[in-house]
Amino acid sequence: ATETLRALVAAGLPVVVVDASPAAAVRDLLSATGAIVSEQKAVGKKGAALREAVAIASALPGVVAETWLCWQEPEKTDMARHWATALDAAKDADVLVPRRESARFAATYPIEQVHSETYGNLYLDAVARTHCDALPPLDWHFGPFAFRARHSDLWTRFGGPMYDAQVVPLVHAVRKGLRLASVAVAFEAPAAMKAQEEGDVGFIEKRLAQLNSLDPLVKAAWTDSPYC
């Protein structure tokens, strides 16, 4: 996590971290990178931390309605070098979903994850086309995304506990008529991740569980009642 925070700060990006660790020393270590670190107050998991981080970031000095608020996982260090160009390419959009370039995706990710997330993306694109012909193919399973601060409610008012907190609001953004941009990035996953996870039954089953838990929720979001 500290490597990613240092990379983001070095790229000139203000960084907010909501940390649930019981040890204050962990937050001190994270703060030493230059990030704004807050102990998680909201009860819950990943989704609760995401909503809390959005609320903190939205209130930072200098943040206005047009400001981009970006989110990414701590293990995706390489994303730090892609945010600026991706946001520039999406300058006319309300929401940005970066898309991994296929060659680097295939070369740097565990092979099982390449297949599961490619399948998941194709499935969710097919679902999306039944509701919106104009939506470009999205990298639904990548993780990083960004939105203009004026649309924060789409994320802070959705109560998803885990990955759905990231992805389901994308569907509701489309349903509200917001402009979504899909921008290719030459993202490379850490070599250590591929070495550790490829061929490991536990990680393979985790990928299957993600497909079976997240994707039905994203599909249902196209017809669920709007929450904001």
Side-chain angles (χ1 to χ4, degrees):
T2 55
E3 181 183 1
T4 298
L5 296 179
R6 285 193 295 268
L8 291 166
V9 170
L13 299 170
V15 184
V16 171
V17 178
V18 172
D19 175 68
S21 170
V26 172
R27 284 181 288 281
D28 291 341
L29 182 65
L30 298 175
S31 296
T33 66
I36 300 164
V37 181
S38 175
E39 181 178 6
Q40 183 173 333
K41 297 177 178 61
V43 176
K45 299 181 180 179
K46 184 178 187 177
L50 186 155
R51 290 184 286 276
E52 193 169 336
V54 171
I56 294 170
S58 298
L60 291 178
V63 172
V64 297
E66 293 297 310
T67 300
W68 282 110
L69 301 182
C70 309
W71 185 92
Q72 69 166 86
E73 295 91 347
E75 68 270 18
K76 291 188 168 70
T77 304
D78 190 49
M79 193 62 207
R81 69 186 179 98
H82 301 298
W83 276 120
T85 53
L87 292 170
D88 185 63
K91 59 182 179 294
D92 296 324
D94 299 295
V95 179
L96 164 65
V97 183
R99 183 181 72 255
R100 292 165 289 191
E101 288 185 356
S102 57
R104 285 188 170 92
F105 179 30
T108 66
Y109 273 74
I111 185 63
E112 302 88 0
Q113 188 172 356
V114 173
H115 285 292
S116 68
E117 293 186 354
T118 298
Y119 173 87
N121 286 338
L122 290 171
Y123 169 65
L124 292 177
D125 281 342
V127 170
R129 283 195 299 273
T130 67
H131 299 278
C132 178
D133 291 337
L135 188 67
L138 297 181
D139 197 346
W140 301 90
H141 284 273
F142 182 19
F145 65 93
F147 55 87
R148 303 285 186 178
R150 67 174 180 270
H151 303 304
S152 294
D153 281 359
L154 278 167
W155 278 267
T156 58
R157 294 179 63 181
F158 177 69
M162 288 294 291
Y163 303 99
D164 53 337
Q166 304 162 225
V167 185
V168 166
L170 297 175
V171 173
H172 286 270
V174 176
R175 292 177 60 185
K176 288 172 71 73
L178 303 189
R179 298 162 295 178
L180 264 71
S182 172
V183 176
V185 293
F187 177 83
E188 297 184 0
M193 184 188 82
K194 182 179 175 75
Q196 178 187 8
E197 299 182 8
E198 192 164 88
D200 184 281
V201 172
F203 281 106
I204 295 170
E205 291 178 344
K206 177 183 177 182
R207 306 302 170 202
L208 288 173
Q210 287 172 335
L211 288 177
N212 289 317
S213 62
L214 174 63
D215 289 18
L217 297 176
V218 180
K219 180 184 179 183
W222 288 102
T223 53
D224 284 345
S225 298
Y227 55 86
C228 75

